[in-house]
C-alpha cells in the first residue's frame, strides 16, 4: 500500500512539474510540445497505478497510449510545418491571426 502511495505521489509531482513547465516557458513551440508529452506520460503512469490497484483490464491504457502517440506525431508535424514557413519555432516570431 505504501508503494502505491509513493507511485501516486511521484506521478502527481511529475504532472505538476509538467504543468509548471508548460505554463512557465512559452518561448519555443518545441518546449511546449515536450512539456505536453511529459504531462501525458505522467497522466499515463497515474492511470496505470490506479488501474493496477483496482485490478481492472488495461485495454483503456492501450487506447490512451495510442492517442498520446498520435498527438505526438501531430505535434511534430505541426512543428515541422511552422519551422518551414516561419524559419524557427519561436512563439513570438509569428502571429497566429496572419495566415
Amino acid at each position: 500500500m505504501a508503494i502505491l502511495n509513493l507511485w501516486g505521489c511521484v506521478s502527481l509531482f511529475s504532472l505538476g512539474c509538467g504543468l509548471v513547465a508548460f505554463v512557465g516557458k512559452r518561448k519555443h513551440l518545441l518546449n511546449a510540445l515536450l512539456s505536453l508529452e511529459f504531462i501525458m506520460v505522467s497522466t499515463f503512469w497515474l492511470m496505470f497505478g490506479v488501474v493496477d490497484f483496482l485490478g481492472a483490464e488495461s485495454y483503456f491504457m492501450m487506447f490512451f497510449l495510442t492517442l498520446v502517440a498520435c498527438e505526438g506525431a501531430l505535434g511534430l508535424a505541426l512543428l515541422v510545418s511552422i519551422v518551414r514557413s516561419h524559419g524557427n519555432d519561436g512563439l513570438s516570431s509569428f502571429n497566429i491571426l496572419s495566415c
Side-chain angles (χ1 to χ4, degrees):
M1 191 66 160
I3 292 176
L4 181 65
N5 289 335
L6 179 66
W7 185 279
C9 290
V10 168
S11 297
L12 287 175
F13 179 73
S14 62
L15 183 70
C17 288
L19 286 172
V20 167
F22 181 69
V23 172
K25 302 289 182 181
R26 290 192 175 188
K27 191 171 184 178
H28 293 281
L29 182 62
L30 184 60
N31 288 344
L33 290 174
L34 284 174
S35 62
L36 280 176
E37 284 298 318
F38 189 72
I39 290 169
M40 296 307 286
V41 168
S42 301
T43 305
F44 168 74
W45 284 115
L46 184 64
M47 286 176 21
F48 181 76
V50 169
V51 167
D52 189 41
F53 176 72
L54 295 176
E57 295 291 328
S58 61
Y59 294 117
F60 178 71
M61 302 305 295
M62 294 300 167
F63 182 70
F64 183 74
L65 275 179
T66 304
L67 289 179
V68 168
C70 291
E71 179 254 340
L74 185 65
L76 285 177
L78 181 66
L79 178 68
V80 168
S81 175
I82 286 174
V83 167
R84 284 186 180 173
S85 66
H86 291 89
N88 61 5
D89 70 333
L91 291 177
S92 62
S93 67
F94 59 91
N95 188 2
I96 296 174
L97 295 176
S98 65
C99 294

